[in-house]
Amino acid sequence: MFNKRVKIKELLATEATGQEVIVMGWVRTFRNNQFIALNDGSTNNNIQIVVELGLLDEATLKRITTSASLKIVGQLIASQGKGQKVEVKATAVEVLGDSDAEKYPLQPKKHSLEFLREIAHLRFRTNTFGAVFRLRHSLAYAVHKFYHEKGFVYMHTPIITASDAEGAGEMFRVTTLDLAKQLPTNDDGSINYKEDFFGRSTNLTVSGQLEGELAATAFSEIYTFGPTFRAENSNTARHLAEFWMIEPEMAFYDLEDNMNLAEEFIKYLIRFAMENNREDLEFLAQRLVEEEKQLPQDKRSELGLIEKLEFVLNNNFERITYTEAIDILLNSPAYKKKKFQYEVKWGVDMQSEHERYLVEKHFKKPVIVTNYPKDIKSFYMRQNDDGKTVAAMDILAPGIGEIVGGSQREERLDLLTKRMEELNIPVEEMWWFLDTRRYGTVPHAGFGLGFERMVLFVTGMTNIRDVIAFPRTPKSAEF
Ligand code: 4AD
Ligand code: MG
């Protein structure tokens, strides 16, 4: 019976009175044939196991190697050594699983994040990934807690769809047609999807928003939280081909209500992590300091990780229009000194260098940019009276860039249909989406928060591949 074991996190917070305890975990280090540092993933802190001389024979001692798994029975006593309050004086040690020390890839030394990506199946056993993935868990839990407490309904929107929610064409195809054989074709040579599994062309979803809108026009307020897929060939530290997104959708909301909810949501997640994962955050804050020591002074963060999070909690996000953002960029010293690689003028999609300038140099805090030109945004966004812009909002975060994308939705059937036609979006196939505008249409709004980008922000990690367990990126789908 294994269930009597106590997790190490709990053990470390227990008053030691010599009581018998059972603890299990993996060996981090073994010193002097006497001191085992054991870890079970409940915390980065190890419990020290003291093996008195003579307790184990030579053969068993040899099996206590890095990452071997052990069951220890012993007494919890106050520790003599420094660095820990309690330790376990072993009375029995059982090796549950051996680990060949010569071959084990994770030696007890510092490894680069790049190397750890190549052994992503083992990297959870390091302190950095222990902290990151416990935080990721906490944030996911907090997402549900936040919306549940507000009375939102959690919708599980489909992963396989026949539509392109963003209209950007960056979709992974889903098919059971045999690609090694001659594909069935129509008279005009195009592929005949009637022969395919669903009898039509299907893909992995890029967003749950459209189905979310259907639900919001019945439940008033819903959210989705699921995996989404983008076949965009962006090999950057901010893009994944498979990422998780939270998409709330609210009836009777305008753009301002939408911004208020998004800001409250982000702050709630940060506060939840600060209150529940302090130890892991402190570890990651220290990790960041160490990592940045290699950088020149002007490239280092002005604030430590925890100070940065506190700063975000204690200040309002800046709110500006796209037009104001472009003006700031055009008047910036960076623009005048030709420091931007990409063009700046009204109408262009801001590049990461522009977003980062606004957030990191100009405002030095999160910024919500609204009312973008309609030609660089999706078909479903509500058209403003100026005929040029839509009621969009993006939230830009320091060190990350875009973390949220959202908008008030076009609820007027005639304007929406006209826009879809202009953008060659198949109006007929989207009959179900347009029905929401036919039967009791309402002003409504929503947004999408990229979950990994949020985890990046809270953990201070810099590459998105290090905050999702098994990243999928162009030319990479190992594990
Ligand atoms: O701005 P996006 O494309 O918006 C939507 O998908 C809307 N349907 C959301 C809505 O209004 N319901 O994506 C939303 C967010 C981005 O701001 C970003 O944080 C994240 O999703 N994101 C990605 N994260 C990782 N890898 C990628 N390739 C991402 N693409 C978008
Ligand atoms: Mg976007």
Side-chain angles (χ1 to χ4, degrees):
M1 163 103 137
F2 286 103
N3 290 347
K4 282 196 187 151
R5 79 170 176 124
V6 184
K7 286 201 188 179
I8 291 170
K9 182 175 178 160
E10 192 186 325
L11 218 49
L12 290 171
T14 304
E15 193 72 42
T17 57
Q19 68 271 46
E20 187 180 273
V21 294
I22 302 176
V23 54
M24 299 183 206
W26 293 266
V27 176
R28 283 285 170 90
T29 58
F30 186 33
R31 286 187 295 122
N32 300 345
N33 263 351
Q34 215 181 345
F35 302 107
I36 305 170
L38 198 71
N39 189 280
D40 67 0
S42 57
T43 161
N44 269 347
N45 298 318
N46 306 317
I47 184 100
Q48 171 154 289
I49 313 291
V50 184
V51 184
E52 294 202 328
L53 297 173
L55 179 71
L56 300 178
D57 56 26
E58 203 51 38
T60 310
L61 285 173
K62 283 221 168 70
R63 294 174 65 199
I64 304 177
T65 53
T66 304
S67 232
S69 53
L70 304 182
K71 173 181 177 182
I72 309 283
V73 182
Q75 290 164 326
L76 189 69
I77 56 171
S79 178
Q80 311 294 307
K82 55 176 175 13
Q84 67 271 331
K85 268 188 18 225
V86 298
E87 61 189 25
V88 174
K89 188 175 152 207
T91 51
V93 175
E94 185 187 336
V95 179
L96 298 172
D98 290 285
S99 168
D100 184 339
E102 302 279 295
K103 293 194 183 134
Y104 183 58
L106 260 181
Q107 295 304 317
K109 63 162 195 168
K110 207 169 156 38
H111 293 288
S112 73
L113 294 172
E114 289 78 9
F115 170 73
L116 292 173
R117 259 169 242 151
E118 292 168 16
I119 51 163
H121 59 307
L122 295 173
R123 65 180 178 169
F124 302 121
R125 298 186 192 189
T126 64
N127 283 339
T128 298
F129 288 91
V132 166
F133 284 95
R134 277 188 299 272
L135 266 156
R136 184 179 165 117
H137 159 78
S138 261
L139 291 169
Y141 175 74
V143 166
H144 291 298
K145 192 164 149 56
F146 178 79
Y147 288 112
H148 175 74
E149 284 168 5
K150 286 190 172 296
F152 282 52
V153 173
Y154 177 29
M155 293 301 303
H156 296 103
T157 49
I159 287 175
I160 300 174
T161 70
S163 58
D164 177 0
E166 289 304 298
E170 292 166 333
M171 298 173 301
F172 288 101
R173 228 173 244 305
V174 173
T175 181
T176 53
L177 292 175
D178 188 345
L179 301 181
K181 290 201 185 125
Q182 183 70 48
L183 295 173
T185 50
N186 298 312
D187 291 344
D188 64 358
S190 61
I191 294 170
N192 180 6
Y193 287 105
K194 291 211 173 61
E195 304 268 312
D196 203 349
F197 189 92
F198 294 106
R200 62 194 300 170
S201 158
T202 50
N203 52 273
L204 294 179
T205 188
V206 295
S207 155
Q209 179 193 321
L210 302 190
E211 291 87 355
E213 286 189 47
L214 309 183
T217 49
F219 297 104
S220 306
E221 293 168 329
I222 65 95
Y223 70 105
T224 72
F225 185 6
T228 48
F229 307 86
R230 306 247 169 127
E232 53 187 333
N233 201 5
S234 303
N235 225 330
T236 78
R238 306 273 173 268
H239 288 88
L240 289 165
E242 174 178 306
F243 65 98
W244 287 65
M245 184 157 49
I246 298 114
E247 294 183 275
E249 190 70 34
M250 298 74 62
F252 320 114
Y253 262 57
D254 64 11
L255 189 64
E256 197 185 343
D257 299 322
N258 204 26
M259 288 192 273
N260 291 343
L261 181 73
E263 182 168 343
E264 185 190 343
F265 177 41
I266 289 175
K267 288 179 171 171
Y268 181 92
L269 295 182
I270 294 174
R271 194 170 297 114
F272 189 88
M274 300 266 268
E275 285 170 6
N276 294 278
N277 295 71
R278 195 71 193 188
E279 197 180 273
D280 285 328
L281 278 176
E282 277 165 10
F283 173 85
L284 291 167
Q286 191 52 37
R287 190 204 73 87
L288 195 61
V289 170
E290 297 297 326
E291 188 181 271
E292 291 193 344
K293 278 187 184 154
Q294 299 157 17
L295 299 174
Q297 193 78 44
D298 65 325
K299 289 263 166 13
R300 296 184 199 165
S301 316
E302 279 176 38
L303 298 177
L305 178 61
I306 293 181
E307 292 76 48
K308 174 190 85 175
L309 296 175
E310 265 159 7
F311 180 83
V312 171
L313 281 183
N314 296 331
N315 288 278
N316 292 333
F317 294 6
E318 195 69 38
R319 298 181 182 195
I320 59 169
T321 64
Y322 168 89
T323 304
E324 286 162 347
I326 294 293
D327 283 343
I328 291 169
L329 292 172
L330 288 174
N331 289 310
S332 68
Y335 179 80
K336 287 176 183 150
K337 288 188 204 139
K338 300 196 176 4
K339 288 239 174 95
F340 294 131
Q341 193 188 339
Y342 293 93
E343 187 182 22
V344 182
K345 67 168 191 205
W346 201 95
V348 301
D349 210 355
M350 278 191 276
Q351 299 294 319
S352 156
E353 57 175 354
H354 308 133
E355 296 180 342
R356 296 186 73 156
Y357 178 84
L358 288 173
V359 172
E360 287 157 33
K361 295 272 174 351
H362 191 82
F363 289 112
K364 296 184 191 284
K365 57 168 151 161
V367 178
I368 312 184
V369 182
T370 58
N371 299 313
Y372 282 79
K374 67 175 200 275
D375 292 331
I376 57 171
K377 288 291 182 190
S378 299
F379 69 94
Y380 51 71
M381 297 191 179
R382 193 176 198 279
Q383 295 160 50
N384 289 329
D385 293 341
D386 62 12
K388 293 191 306 194
T389 60
V390 284
M393 61 153 205
D394 276 6
I395 303 187
L396 314 177
I400 308 287
E402 182 189 333
I403 193 163
V404 160
S407 74
Q408 187 171 336
R409 316 305 189 192
E410 183 55 82
E411 83 283 11
R412 297 161 294 186
L413 181 65
D414 50 340
L415 289 171
L416 180 58
T417 325
K418 188 160 159 279
R419 187 70 186 138
M420 287 169 78
E421 278 160 0
E422 279 167 19
L423 295 169
N424 292 318
I425 291 171
V427 175
E428 238 101 278
E429 278 175 35
M430 304 277 280
W431 61 273
W432 48 272
F433 180 65
L434 294 172
D435 266 3
T436 53
R437 276 66 171 173
R438 289 193 182 102
Y439 308 115
T441 193
V442 282
H444 64 290
F447 62 84
L449 171 73
F451 188 56
E452 284 75 19
R453 293 193 187 174
M454 187 67 207
V455 181
L456 271 182
F457 188 70
V458 173
T459 58
M461 299 296 285
T462 44
N463 194 311
I464 202 161
R465 293 166 180 80
D466 297 330
V467 298
I468 187 163
F470 302 109
R472 270 81 182 97
T473 53
K475 304 274 176 285
S476 167
E478 190 75 56
F479 311 107

